[in-house]
């Protein structure tokens, strides 16, 4: 039980996918301009992550032990189809959200955070429960980073930021400061 | 110029006609087939080198943590006993037995893992059952802070603490320069958390394995649960429960619970 | 320079941002910090004074270097860079090499203030940005604490202070753990009275709890800070640590120890209350303070670091835009969006 | 021939500087920042990406005639994933030490938006020769960016460059530079530096143009 707690906390805060592993930077920098969009994209990513973790576990347990070399290809295929599916669902259920997420929804396919989740969970040898908790932590962590970033960026938009810094440079520096702040979580719940 | 050519070439091949779905499926199948073929051949070509390298790394680590051994044997714990087995199976827990030239068992190299300051630390440690001593510790994987936490493998003084270290009643990390008892380890100044994590991972490995390891040398006994060890220390409460089953299936992952506040 | 005047005044905090008021508020902060600063210098010797000066030097020089020539007089005159440098210095170990202290001042202003467009726009407390940078960059130097000096060796500057720029530090003097370090790694408590008057090792300005409270009360009396923030932080820390203390008094420190140890008081009164990087509404201030208190206890008790005040404040700084968003009246929340869209 | 020659060069050089994938387009940094904590790691990752990008661009450009538009993205991904898997195993067999450093981040090359982006935007629409030059240019630009990042972080973070000690044993390393925040800050400041350079050059060009006008 405690192990699951640690896996969750570790993926959520200590080894936050964006702020410690640099995964999912493209959407992190691209979609974090608006708070509500960021939040929804975060949840979409979380959802895809959960499904991916489940599929990765299935693949690992029943297919990849016989053909480990197919790992990458099969993960990619699973993620691509999942995203396709979610895209269809969102398009039907909420056209507004579909417009808001725009180009970035198909790009979840190449969102390294999703693929990274599948690969890391495999490397760490997680079972089903651990993998799902890991996905939950990673997805919530991604959402948290995205939402914090979006809030900060909306404020920074109003500030007289020097012209040269506008755009990606300031966003990266904000991310750097956030990443420094998240260092405070190091060792959380693992300390003796 | 380049813009013009871009437009001209934008729709190559069957520009206006909708390709049949058979053709789409066929294209993807051929692509998949070819890619599979390439991947399998590269995999087959590189596999021996990769396996040999991994085995070499592991072997070197085992030789580092166990003194004066001649050869090693991978042992898996099945049906309450240790059996030699070389193929890996994630369902089984394994240790490495180290033997001297005469084939007598010297000790075991036990893999263990647990949370460190930043991420999971994986390590291997040598254990000699006849003396109940840890004989060495080698970090296999860690992401501890450079310059601080990474001293758990860069600081030879700290690594040296694990040579001839008593395990009873439990290994303890104490403030640097204050270790007096044979079961105490000097923690690294400024990296107390990482040092304590290493010690905790060792204790965790002991909890999981000690009752499963026969002390006698030679052939690992089959199907014997009662272990001929001097005594199982009463101060480590987990030990009593440990032999009941192999609770965790993955040799890389420690069994049972992370001791949330253990060792405090 | 059309961005000089923001489209929306979203920060009508307790501090108005006219230059005159700013410089007055900064003077108040300096007055409030004076007792604790002097006590710190008295306790840790000349080296501590040099560290403070290095921080202030780094901060003021950076501000000067990056400001347009015509704004230098005004901006430097209001003393905000001076206060940032001083606050940074007060949270550093007294034996820190001066070049690191100077670098911290540079980073505080550079990353903490200039890139945001200057005073009044920084989303993180500048001094804490500098400190977080130093702690991540030089973890050993930033966690090596010298013991207090007696009056006899007041003028002895530790060799570590004078390490050559970019060069390694050699600690020759007696080092001793902070009360929080003792608590975390050796389960040793420190006498409460020693904590209150600052007879412990630690950062230059964070040891003398009573003087810090005195200054904080002065600021609150002068209406320079939002009293809700320190009150909610201290109350939250007291509540959470009491809870843990009741569960296991052996393992967890009591509420008074938690309040008087480490940088909690200086953080609660002087850093979390930075009007720019804290929420605007009273309800937001309560959430902000309780969040900081919770994070402080979480990091101190369950985290890897003995002290978590800096991280707690930075994290809640990061959450401040969100808190503002959800505590503002609905109309404002909606009104915020339209200028945003038109900004691009 | 003389007409396409300058074009090919142009395709190559635009990737190096003007359209540098990292400094100008800020593409493909997702999984790459994590391994730029030293110049060697940056270079290894850059070279791995180099191989994958050039090989898949060439293949896509050659095969584009046979790939229906509807399944092009899937086909691209299969091609890229194949090359990445090949790279992964080859590195693991040939240079296991470096493979261990880059670890789980090599498979993530698949998710590098730069690579898929080049296939979609260029290789699938241009003749193979231009596609190859474009890929070579982009890949070199990417390699350059990763090495630059890795170098800055290694110099400050360890006082060394490519493992060679620069400042002697007394240097106090800035540990933050090899930690995640250092990656963000370094890239942010490098971007700032490059946009400053670009602006300066533009101003210079404007001034030159003005002088010419005045002179004539």
């Amino acid at each position: 039980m405690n192990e699951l707690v640690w896996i969750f906390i570790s993926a959520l805060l200590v080894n936050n996918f964006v702020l410690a592993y640099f995964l999912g930077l493209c959407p992190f920098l691209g979609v974090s301009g608006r708070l509500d969009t960021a939040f929804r994209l975060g949840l979409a990513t979380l959802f895809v992550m959960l499904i991916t973790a489940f599929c990765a576990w299935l693949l690992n347990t029943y297919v990849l032990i016989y053909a480990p070399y197919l790992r990458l290809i099969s993960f990619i295929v699973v993620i691509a189809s999942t995203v396709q599916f979610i895209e269809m669902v969102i398009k039907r259920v909420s056209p507004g959200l579909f417009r808001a997420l725009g180009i970035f929804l198909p790009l979840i396919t190449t969102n390294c955070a999703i693929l990274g989740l599948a690969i890391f969970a495999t490397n760490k040898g997680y079972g089903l429960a651990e993998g799902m908790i890991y996905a939950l932590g990673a997805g919530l962590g991604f959402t948290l980073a995205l939402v914090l970033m979006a809030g900060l960026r909306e404020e920074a938009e109003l500030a007289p930021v020097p012209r040269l810094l506008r755009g990606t440079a300031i966003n990266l520096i904000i991310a750097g400061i956030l990443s420094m702040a998240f260092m405070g979580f190091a060792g959380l719940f693992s300390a003796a | 110029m380049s813009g013009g050519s871009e437009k001209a070439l934008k729709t190559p091949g069957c520009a206006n006609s909708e390709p049949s779905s058979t053709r789409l499926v066929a294209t993807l199948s051929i692509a998949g087939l070819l890619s599979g073929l390439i991947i399998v051949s590269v995999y087959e070509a590189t596999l021996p080198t990769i396996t040999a390298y991994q085995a070499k790394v592991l072997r070197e680590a085992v030789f580092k943590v166990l003194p004066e051994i001649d050869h090693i044997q991978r042992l898996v714990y099945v049906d309450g006993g240790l059996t030699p087995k070389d193929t890996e199976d994630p369902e089984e827990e394994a240790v490495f037995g180290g033997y001297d030239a005469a084939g007598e068992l010297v000790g075991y190299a036990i893999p263990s893992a647990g949370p460190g300051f930043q991420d999971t630390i994986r390590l291997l440690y040598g254990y000699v059952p006849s003396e109940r001593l840890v004989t060495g510790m080698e970090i296999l994987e860690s992401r501890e802070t450079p310059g601080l936490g990474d001293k758990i493998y860069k600081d030879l003084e700290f690594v040296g603490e694990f040579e001839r270290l008593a395990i009873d009643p439990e290994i303890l990390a104490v403030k640097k320069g204050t270790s007096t008892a044979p079961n105490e380890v000097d923690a690294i100044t400024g990296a107390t958390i990482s040092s304590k994590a290493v010690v905790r991972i060792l204790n965790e490995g002991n909890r999981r394995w000690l009752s499963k390891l026969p002390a006698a040398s030679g052939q690992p006994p089959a199907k014997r649960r009662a272990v001929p060890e001097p005594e199982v220390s009463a101060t480590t409460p987990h030990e009593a429960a440990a032999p009941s089953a192999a609770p965790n299936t993955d040799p890389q992952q420690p069994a049972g619970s992370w001791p949330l506040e253990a060792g405090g | 320079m059309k961005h000089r005047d923001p489209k929306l005044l979203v920060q009508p905090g307790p501090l108005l941002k006219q230059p005159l008021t700013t410089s007055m508020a900064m003077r108040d902060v300096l007055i409030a910090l004076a007792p604790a600063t002097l006590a710190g210098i008295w306790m840790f010797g000349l080296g501590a004074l040099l560290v403070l000066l290095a921080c202030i030097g780094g901060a003021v020089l950076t501000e000067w270097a990056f400001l347009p020539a015509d704004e230098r007089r005004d901006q430097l005159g209001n003393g905000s860079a001076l206060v940032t440098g001083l606050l940074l210095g007060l949270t550093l170990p007294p034996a820190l090499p001066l070049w690191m202290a100077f670098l911290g001042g540079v980073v505080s202003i550079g990353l903490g203030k200039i890139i945001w467009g200057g005073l009044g726009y920084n989303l993180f407390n500048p001094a804490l940005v500098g400190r977080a940078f130093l702690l991540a960059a030089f973890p050993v130097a930033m966690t090596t604490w010298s013991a207090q000096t007696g009056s006899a060796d007041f003028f002895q500057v530790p060799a570590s202070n004078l390490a050559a720029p970019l060069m390694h530090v050699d600690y020759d003097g007696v080092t001793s753990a902070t009360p929080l370090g003792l608590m975390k790694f050796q389960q040793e408590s420190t006498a409460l009275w020693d904590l209150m008057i600052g007879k412990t090792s630690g950062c230059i300005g964070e040891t003398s709890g009573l003087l810090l409270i005195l200054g904080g009360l002065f600021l609150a009396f002068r209406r320079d800070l939002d009293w809700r923030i320190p009150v909610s932080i201290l109350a939250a820390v007291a509540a959470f640590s009491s809870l843990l203390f009741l569960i296991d008094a052996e393992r967890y420190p009591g509420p008074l120890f938690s309040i008087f140890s480490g940088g909690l008081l200086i953080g609660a009164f002087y850093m979390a209350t930075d009007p720019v990087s804290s929420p605007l509404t009273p309800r937001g201030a309560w959430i902000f303070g309780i969040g900081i208190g919770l994070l402080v206890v979480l990091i101190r008790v369950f985290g890897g670091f003995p002290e978590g005040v800096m991280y707690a404040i930075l994290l809640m700084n990061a959450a401040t835009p969100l808190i503002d968003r959800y505590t503002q009246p609905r109309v404002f929340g909606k009104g915020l969006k339209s200028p945003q869209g038109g900004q691009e | 021939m003389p007409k396409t020659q300058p074009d090919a060069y142009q395709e190559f050089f635009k990737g190096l500087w003007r359209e540098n994938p990292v400094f100008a387009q800020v593409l493909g940094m997702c999984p790459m920042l994590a391994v730029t904590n030293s110049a060697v790691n940056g270079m290894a990752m850059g070279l791995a990406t180099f191989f994958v990008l050039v090989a898949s661009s060439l293949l896509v450009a050659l095969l584009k005639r046979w790939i229906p538009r509807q399944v092009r993205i899937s086909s691209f991904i299969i091609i890229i994933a194949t090359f990445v898997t090949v790279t992964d195993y080859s590195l693991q067999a040939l240079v296991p030490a470096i493979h261990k450093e880059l670890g789980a981040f090599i498979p993530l090359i698949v998710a590098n938006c730069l690579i898929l982006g080049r296939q979609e935007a260029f290789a699938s629409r241009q003749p193979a020769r231009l596609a190859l030059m474009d890929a070579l240019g982009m890949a070199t630009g990417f390699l350059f960016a990763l090495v630059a990042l890795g170098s800055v972080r290694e110099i400050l973070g360890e006082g060394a460059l490519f493992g060679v000690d620069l400042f002697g044993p007394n240097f106090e390393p800035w540990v933050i530079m090899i930690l995640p925040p250092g990656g963000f800050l370094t890239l942010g400041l490098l971007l700032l530096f490059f946009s400053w350079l670009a602006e300066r050059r533009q101003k210079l060009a404007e001034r030159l143009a003005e002088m010419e006008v005045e002179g004539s």
Side-chain angles (χ1 to χ4, degrees):
Chain A
M1 190 56 214
N2 287 341
E3 186 190 344
L4 291 181
V5 172
W6 183 75
I7 289 178
F8 178 75
I9 294 288
S10 170
L12 176 71
L13 301 172
V14 183
N15 294 303
N16 185 286
F17 266 39
V18 182
L19 298 174
Y21 286 152
F22 305 97
L23 295 175
L25 270 190
C26 294
F28 179 68
L29 296 174
V31 191
S32 60
R34 295 278 300 276
L35 194 55
D36 47 349
T37 323
F39 184 62
R40 286 179 201 168
L41 181 81
L43 291 189
T45 309
L46 167 66
F47 184 55
V48 179
M49 277 183 167
L50 286 171
I51 295 177
T52 306
F54 182 71
C55 298
W57 172 79
L58 276 184
L59 283 172
N60 274 325
T61 321
Y62 297 108
V63 182
L64 297 182
I65 44 169
Y66 307 109
Y69 43 83
L70 287 185
R71 195 174 75 169
L72 185 58
I73 293 237
S74 58
F75 282 172
I76 283 278
V77 169
V78 165
I79 294 170
S81 4
T82 315
V83 171
Q84 193 89 52
F85 175 72
I86 292 179
E87 197 180 345
M88 274 156 45
V89 171
I90 293 187
K91 201 171 186 175
R92 181 151 309 170
V93 175
S94 161
L97 176 60
F98 185 76
R99 271 196 303 277
L101 297 186
I103 181 180
F104 285 98
L105 204 57
L107 279 187
I108 286 186
T109 316
T110 51
N111 181 345
C112 13
I114 311 263
L115 183 62
L117 174 89
I119 287 174
F120 288 170
T122 312
N123 283 356
K124 285 169 188 277
Y126 284 160
L128 180 59
E130 293 149 331
M132 296 307 282
I133 292 290
Y134 188 57
L136 187 67
L140 288 177
F142 182 79
T143 312
L144 178 67
L146 210 62
V147 166
L148 285 179
M149 186 70 185
L152 291 169
R153 275 182 64 178
E154 287 196 352
E155 290 279 304
E157 284 285 319
L158 299 173
V161 171
R163 194 171 41 78
L164 271 179
L165 267 162
R166 291 193 164 266
T168 317
I170 181 107
N171 294 338
L172 282 167
I173 291 175
I174 297 178
I177 297 176
L178 257 186
S179 174
M180 276 198 302
F182 266 64
M183 279 180 66
F185 291 121
L188 201 62
F189 292 118
S190 75
Chain B
M1 169 65 210
S2 91
S5 67
E6 205 165 296
K7 258 174 212 153
L9 288 162
K10 201 169 186 174
T11 47
C14 40
N16 296 320
S17 61
E18 276 290 302
S20 65
S21 51
T22 348
R23 178 151 179 247
L24 300 184
V25 173
T27 313
L28 282 185
S29 314
I30 293 172
L33 207 69
L34 284 178
S35 118
L37 209 66
I38 297 173
I39 291 178
V40 170
S41 39
V42 172
Y43 176 72
E44 291 296 333
T46 52
L47 189 62
T49 331
I50 294 173
T51 333
Y53 177 77
Q54 283 170 346
K56 185 176 144 252
V57 169
L58 202 57
R59 216 180 126 78
E60 278 171 2
V62 173
F63 273 82
K64 238 182 219 170
V65 298
L66 280 172
E68 291 153 20
I69 52 169
D70 180 70
H71 58 280
I72 61 172
Q73 170 66 52
R74 187 170 183 274
L75 304 165
V76 294
Y77 184 76
V78 276
D79 300 332
L82 290 176
T83 322
K85 187 178 176 194
D86 284 326
T87 49
E88 285 197 34
D89 182 345
E91 298 290 310
E92 294 165 343
E93 290 185 284
V95 288
F96 298 88
Y99 304 87
D100 63 14
E104 295 283 308
L105 178 90
V106 177
Y108 300 99
I110 305 173
S112 191
F117 189 63
Q118 196 60 246
D119 208 342
T120 307
I121 300 176
R122 290 186 204 295
L123 53 79
L124 190 75
Y125 66 97
Y127 168 65
V128 175
S130 57
E131 300 180 83
R132 290 185 73 75
L133 284 179
V134 166
T135 50
M137 183 274 300
E138 172 90 352
I139 302 283
L140 301 177
E141 190 187 318
S142 96
R143 275 187 61 233
E144 300 304 280
T145 321
L148 272 183
D150 68 353
K151 284 186 184 163
I152 56 173
Y153 56 93
K154 285 192 174 158
D155 183 347
L156 295 181
E157 209 179 308
F158 178 74
V159 176
E161 296 272 321
F162 292 88
E163 288 161 15
R164 300 198 62 77
L165 175 69
I167 60 159
D168 294 308
E170 192 180 43
I171 306 169
L172 289 174
V174 297
K175 191 175 180 243
K176 177 141 186 141
T178 63
S179 75
T180 45
N183 67 328
E184 288 180 344
V185 171
D186 274 342
I188 302 163
T189 314
T192 321
I193 300 280
S194 300
S195 334
K196 284 194 171 182
V198 170
V199 166
R200 199 183 51 237
I201 293 167
L202 251 69
N203 284 325
E204 184 67 24
N206 284 341
R207 260 175 224 138
R208 219 155 21 97
W209 275 103
L210 247 49
S211 52
K212 298 175 187 166
L213 300 176
S217 60
Q219 294 309 307
K223 319 248 177 205
R224 256 208 324 172
R225 176 157 299 180
V227 215
E229 285 205 344
E231 75 224 57
V232 172
S233 168
T235 43
T236 47
H238 286 65
E239 261 181 2
S244 60
N248 195 318
T249 52
D250 190 336
Q252 302 281 339
Q253 287 295 321
S257 58
W258 299 113
L260 241 189
E261 297 133 4
Chain C
M1 284 287 106
K2 66 172 179 175
H3 289 288
R4 268 298 161 196
D5 41 337
K7 302 233 155 50
L8 251 175
L9 261 182
V10 284
Q11 276 126 353
L15 268 191
L16 298 171
K17 273 191 283 299
Q18 277 87 16
L20 189 67
T21 323
T22 307
S23 64
M24 272 165 62
M26 293 301 166
R27 196 180 311 147
D28 282 356
V29 175
L30 288 178
I31 294 171
L33 279 172
T37 308
L38 291 175
I41 296 170
W42 171 249
M43 287 184 287
F44 294 109
L46 188 61
L49 177 65
L50 294 181
V51 169
L52 292 179
L53 290 178
C55 286
I56 294 172
V60 173
L61 271 180
T62 312
E63 178 107 334
W64 180 83
F66 280 99
L67 279 177
D70 54 326
E71 287 180 38
R72 278 180 185 150
R73 255 185 74 113
D74 271 4
Q75 291 289 328
L76 285 178
N78 69 31
S80 73
L82 179 73
V83 167
T84 298
L86 178 64
L87 276 175
L88 170 70
L90 291 176
T91 58
L92 297 181
L96 193 76
L98 297 180
W99 69 267
M100 289 183 193
F102 183 85
L103 181 70
V106 172
V107 173
S108 286
I109 295 297
L111 286 187
K113 196 166 151 193
I114 295 290
I115 65 154
W116 306 98
L119 184 68
Y121 299 100
N122 51 295
L123 299 181
F124 294 92
N125 183 297
L128 289 181
V129 170
R131 185 175 198 273
F133 182 89
L134 286 181
L135 182 58
F138 313 110
V140 178
M142 285 290 288
T143 49
T144 305
W145 314 93
S146 54
Q148 299 202 350
T149 53
S151 48
D153 43 9
F154 179 86
F155 289 102
Q156 258 180 6
V157 177
S160 57
N161 275 146
L162 303 174
L166 300 183
M167 286 302 137
H168 187 67
V169 194
D170 284 317
Y171 285 97
D172 51 347
V174 191
T175 62
S176 68
T178 62
L180 279 171
L182 286 173
M183 190 73 200
K184 181 151 200 122
F185 301 123
Q186 269 109 48
Q187 274 77 44
E188 280 173 33
S189 202
T190 310
L192 193 59
W193 180 245
D194 287 349
L195 283 175
M196 288 184 172
I197 60 167
K199 242 183 86 183
T200 62
S201 60
C203 298
I204 296 171
E206 69 177 26
T207 58
S208 28
L210 292 178
L211 295 178
L212 287 169
I213 295 181
L214 195 71
L217 289 178
F218 169 74
L219 285 183
F221 178 71
R222 299 270 295 170
R223 303 274 171 95
D224 284 325
L225 55 76
D226 185 351
W227 59 271
R228 293 173 192 89
I229 292 175
V231 166
S232 56
I233 293 176
L234 297 182
V237 168
F240 292 124
S241 49
S242 303
L243 193 70
L244 289 170
F245 188 68
L246 286 178
I247 294 173
D248 186 350
E250 288 277 297
R251 190 192 303 274
Y252 305 118
L256 279 176
F257 176 87
S258 301
I259 285 178
F260 280 97
S261 57
L264 187 67
L265 289 168
I266 195 170
F269 281 109
Y270 304 92
M271 293 175 162
T273 51
D274 179 350
V276 192
S277 53
S278 60
L280 318 168
T281 59
R283 203 151 61 94
W286 288 111
I287 298 176
F288 181 75
I290 292 171
I292 291 178
L294 181 65
L295 284 169
V296 166
V297 176
L298 186 78
I299 294 175
R300 278 185 182 178
V301 175
F302 300 107
F305 295 98
E307 173 61 307
V309 172
M310 170 187 81
Y311 289 118
I313 297 178
L314 283 175
L315 287 165
M316 290 312 286
N317 282 165
T320 294
L322 302 183
I323 298 177
D324 273 340
R325 173 68 72 95
Y326 290 106
T327 55
Q328 261 167 9
R330 204 79 192 124
V331 190
F332 282 107
K334 288 199 168 155
L336 257 180
K337 286 177 196 168
S338 49
Q340 215 91 50
Q343 190 103 8
E344 287 305 306
Chain D
M1 207 51 195
K3 249 191 159 183
T4 50
Q5 197 74 358
D7 259 5
Y9 280 117
Q10 225 177 343
E11 301 303 351
F12 179 75
F13 282 108
K14 73 169 191 238
L16 283 188
W17 190 260
R18 192 162 39 83
E19 288 180 31
N20 184 294
V22 176
F23 295 132
Q25 305 181 51
V26 205
L27 269 183
M29 287 320 291
C30 317
M32 305 309 155
L33 266 176
V35 294
T36 53
N37 51 10
S38 75
V40 173
N41 288 354
M43 191 158 90
M45 198 52 156
L47 286 176
T49 314
F50 187 102
F51 167 73
V52 174
L53 176 54
V54 171
S56 40
S57 276
L58 189 60
L59 200 63
V60 164
L62 288 175
L63 295 181
K64 61 175 179 286
R65 194 170 296 279
W66 293 282
I67 301 176
R69 281 194 68 74
Q70 285 80 352
V71 293
R72 67 185 193 288
I73 300 277
S74 319
S75 315
F76 297 163
I77 289 182
I78 292 181
I79 291 174
I80 296 170
T82 308
F83 281 117
V84 171
T85 312
V86 168
T87 314
D88 194 9
Y89 282 119
S90 313
L91 281 180
Q92 205 172 351
L94 298 175
V95 276
I98 287 192
H99 184 271
K100 192 174 178 237
E101 287 281 312
L102 305 186
F105 289 94
I106 292 178
L108 290 178
I109 295 178
V110 175
N112 187 334
C113 357
L114 168 70
I115 298 182
L116 189 64
R118 282 339 278 174
Q119 313 311 323
E120 169 71 0
F122 203 92
S124 62
R125 297 167 183 195
Q126 301 280 358
R129 228 173 59 89
L130 286 186
L132 182 66
M133 290 314 273
D134 171 73
L136 280 175
M138 286 294 163
T140 314
F142 192 70
L143 176 66
F144 164 69
L146 285 197
V147 172
L149 259 170
S151 303
V152 172
R153 291 179 70 184
E154 190 181 351
I155 289 173
L156 285 174
E158 308 204 36
L161 187 58
F162 287 101
V164 180
D165 204 5
L166 293 182
F167 307 113
N170 275 330
F171 178 74
E172 175 81 17
W174 303 24
V175 179
I176 190 175
M177 298 309 282
I178 42 183
L179 298 177
F184 284 114
L185 295 178
T186 312
L187 182 59
L189 294 177
L190 276 181
L191 282 179
L192 183 63
F193 176 67
F194 276 85
S195 52
W196 177 75
L197 273 188
E199 191 184 71
R200 217 176 66 138
R201 188 178 329 160
Q202 198 184 344
K203 272 190 185 152
L204 210 68
E206 276 168 18
R207 200 175 306 161
L208 276 180
E210 272 174 28
M211 275 161 63
E212 266 174 33
V213 171
E214 278 169 18
S216 68

